[in-house]
Amino acid sequence: VRMFHYQVHAFLKSLLTLPDVGEGQREFVGKFLDFRGVFKRFTTSVKGIKKFVCPDGRVRTNYLLHGTETARRSSAKPNLQNIPRESVVKRIFIAADDCLFVMLDYKNLEVRIVAALSGDENLIGALLGGKDIHTYVASLAYGERYEKMVACLSLSKEEAKSKRIVRRWQRYFRERQDAKSGMFALIYGA
């Protein structure tokens, strides 16, 4: 069933690129895919967490110190690390009185360690210069200008659509994801 779901999703996305698909059909498929994304976020992030609400109305997770193969910390029941980055979903979580929520991110810790151990001057320079390391690596791998990629990727998908550069945005997004996956594949072995 899951494989079929992905095949349908891929088929619908491919319809958007066909030249003989009418604008009305393209708009319908686009809105349908957007709806599916919102529905998935609702069922996993809102509805899925509902079963973990304690009698006092709060949600508590279980933190695992060594919950992954890479020895990263993780959480379960519910997995709060799967909450989407969108602030709308995060607003359902409210800290208790006199408490704060803290979001911690190691910010490329593994890449920083590899850069230090390897002595790679380009990688070290990019990290010290505050560059988005995965975009930087993608720009080198795909022969793109880093600044051009950052400017494009800083737009939301909707802004990219309005500027008629959504295909470039999607390509840069894919290239960045590929660079990120490649980087971690090299670090952890693939």
Side-chain angles (χ1 to χ4, degrees):
V1 171
R2 180 168 284 195
M3 185 54 141
F4 178 73
H5 167 78
Y6 290 120
Q7 289 171 338
V8 168
H9 188 80
F11 171 73
L12 289 172
K13 283 184 84 171
S14 70
L15 283 178
L16 296 175
T17 61
L18 296 175
D20 57 340
V21 174
E23 190 58 38
Q25 293 165 319
R26 189 172 280 119
E27 185 178 342
F28 171 78
V29 170
K31 287 185 186 291
F32 181 75
L33 290 172
D34 289 344
F35 169 78
R36 286 183 63 181
V38 169
F39 184 76
K40 179 166 176 38
R41 281 193 298 274
F42 171 76
T43 56
T44 56
S45 301
V46 179
K47 194 175 176 187
I49 286 178
K50 191 175 180 180
K51 63 184 169 192
F52 296 107
V53 176
C54 297
D56 64 357
R58 307 205 72 73
V59 174
R60 292 174 179 83
T61 189
N62 296 306
Y63 289 101
L64 309 170
L65 292 179
H66 302 289
T68 67
E69 289 182 23
T70 58
R72 287 183 171 200
R73 291 183 175 92
S74 64
S75 70
K77 296 183 182 177
N79 182 354
L80 296 181
Q81 292 170 307
N82 279 353
I83 303 300
R85 294 179 181 189
E86 296 95 30
S87 60
V88 174
V89 174
K90 287 185 177 182
R91 287 186 201 153
I92 67 173
F93 298 96
I94 301 167
D97 292 339
D98 298 325
C99 292
L100 296 172
F101 273 125
V102 178
M103 253 187 0
L104 301 173
D105 186 356
Y106 289 117
K107 193 71 175 166
N108 303 317
L109 179 65
E110 298 99 329
V111 178
R112 291 173 185 278
I113 291 170
V114 166
L117 291 174
S118 70
D120 186 307
E121 291 179 15
N122 288 325
L123 209 51
I124 292 169
L127 288 164
L128 291 175
K131 291 185 175 180
D132 177 288
I133 197 63
H134 302 301
T135 303
Y136 176 74
V137 171
S139 73
L140 295 176
Y142 291 97
E144 301 284 353
R145 280 188 33 244
Y146 171 78
E147 294 78 13
K148 186 177 178 181
M149 288 185 78
V150 168
C152 185
L153 289 172
S154 68
L155 301 172
S156 70
K157 193 171 184 180
E158 290 71 32
E159 290 171 320
K161 282 181 185 177
S162 71
K163 293 182 181 235
R164 298 179 186 264
I165 57 168
V166 73
R167 286 197 179 153
R168 183 183 321 151
W169 184 91
Q170 288 171 332
R171 187 178 85 236
Y172 288 166
F173 183 84
R174 249 189 339 271
E175 290 173 353
R176 184 187 182 280
Q177 289 303 110
D178 290 348
K180 185 175 181 179
S181 297
M183 178 78 72
F184 289 117
L186 287 172
I187 292 171
Y188 291 110

